[in-house]
Amino acid sequence: DGHRIGTPEILYRKLDMKQAEKFRKKFSGEQPDFGRFKIQVGKILEVNNHPDAGHLYHLSVDLGEDKPRSVVAGLVKHYSADELAGRRVLVLANLKEVDLKGVVSQGMVLVCEKRNKMELLDGTSFETGQIVEVSDQRVDHGDITIDVFKGAPLRVVDGSLIFDDQPCTIGGTPVTTSVLRNGKVR
C-alpha cells in the first residue's frame, strides 16, 4: 500500500573459475612453498665439456661462497662454452648433490624452455650470491630432490618469472627474460 520497492542490487558477485581455482589451491593444505627453493645468482667461472657425456658441460660457478661449485648442465645444444663463460645465471643452490656420469653436480642452472627453444634465466643485472624471493613465503633451504623441484609451479609468464601467480624478485626487482615470453622453468 503505497510502499515503493528500491532498485535491486547484486549482493554477491559470481566467482569466476580462475579465482575459484586460486582459492582451491590456497586453502587445500598443499600450497607450494617457494621458501624451499634456494635460487641464487651465480657467475660461471669456467666451462668444460663433460668427460663422459657429449651433451653436458661441467661448469664452475661462483655463488658468493668460499669456493666455486661444480655444476653439470645440459646446455651443449643451445650455448657454446664461450657464450656461457663469465655469464651470471640463476642456480638452484640447494639441490641435493648428485653424481652425473662421474662428475659431482652441486646445483642446477635454470632455464626457460618452450617448444625446443631455451633461454638461460639471466642474472646479469644482479650481484653474485643474491637470492630470488617471493613475498609471504617462509624460508627453509634444506636440501631438495629434483622431483620436488619438478613439482614446483615455477614458470615464465609474459617475460616474468612467476611462482604460483606471484612474481619472483631479487632485491625488489622482478626477474625477467628477454627472448622467451612464456615457458616452463627447468
Side-chain angles (χ1 to χ4, degrees), residues 66 106 116 134 166:
D66 294 338
Q106 302 167 316
N116 296 326
V134 167
Q166 294 185 29

Side-chain angles (χ1 to χ4, degrees), residues 15-182:
L15 191 64
D16 70 41
M17 290 312 292
K18 282 186 178 180
Q19 196 173 17
E21 186 60 32
K22 186 186 284 187
F23 286 134
R24 189 175 293 120
K25 281 182 183 178
K26 184 173 183 178
F27 296 109
S28 71
E30 297 180 17
Q31 183 178 4
D33 191 10
F34 184 80
R36 294 187 68 194
F37 308 105
K38 186 178 183 183
I39 300 174
Q40 284 184 277
V41 177
K43 183 175 183 179
I44 299 174
L45 302 175
E46 191 177 332
V47 181
N48 297 303
N49 289 325
H50 190 289
D52 295 326
H55 66 285
L56 298 174
Y57 281 127
H58 178 209
L59 310 173
S60 176
V61 181
D62 176 18
L63 293 175
E65 300 169 331
D66 294 338
K67 62 180 185 170
R69 288 196 187 196
S70 168
V71 176
V72 176
L75 300 172
V76 172
K77 292 180 183 177
H78 303 280
Y79 294 93
S80 70
D82 292 336
E83 289 175 311
L84 293 173
R87 214 170 159 169
R88 280 200 179 99
V89 293
L90 296 186
V91 177
L92 180 61
N94 66 327
L95 190 61
K96 190 174 182 178
E97 194 173 286
V98 66
D99 185 305
L100 295 173
K101 296 194 176 198
V103 176
V104 174
S105 184
Q106 302 167 316
M108 184 168 95
V109 175
L110 299 181
V111 297
C112 174
E113 183 179 51
K114 184 173 184 179
R115 294 190 187 121
N116 296 326
K117 292 182 182 176
M118 186 181 288
E119 179 181 357
L120 285 167
L121 292 179
D122 192 27
T124 303
S125 55
F126 306 107
E127 294 296 318
T128 300
Q130 284 188 291
I131 297 178
V132 176
E133 302 168 332
V134 167
S135 64
D136 299 331
Q137 294 289 325
R138 71 176 199 276
V139 176
D140 174 19
H141 288 157
D143 286 352
I144 60 168
T145 63
I146 191 68
D147 292 330
V148 170
F149 179 72
K150 285 180 179 179
L154 193 62
R155 63 194 187 286
V156 172
V157 176
D158 296 327
S160 294
L161 184 62
I162 302 291
F163 182 85
D164 196 34
D165 298 330
Q166 294 185 29
C168 297
T169 61
I170 298 176
T173 304
V175 178
T176 59
T177 57
S178 55
V179 178
L180 293 178
R181 304 296 296 158
N182 298 293

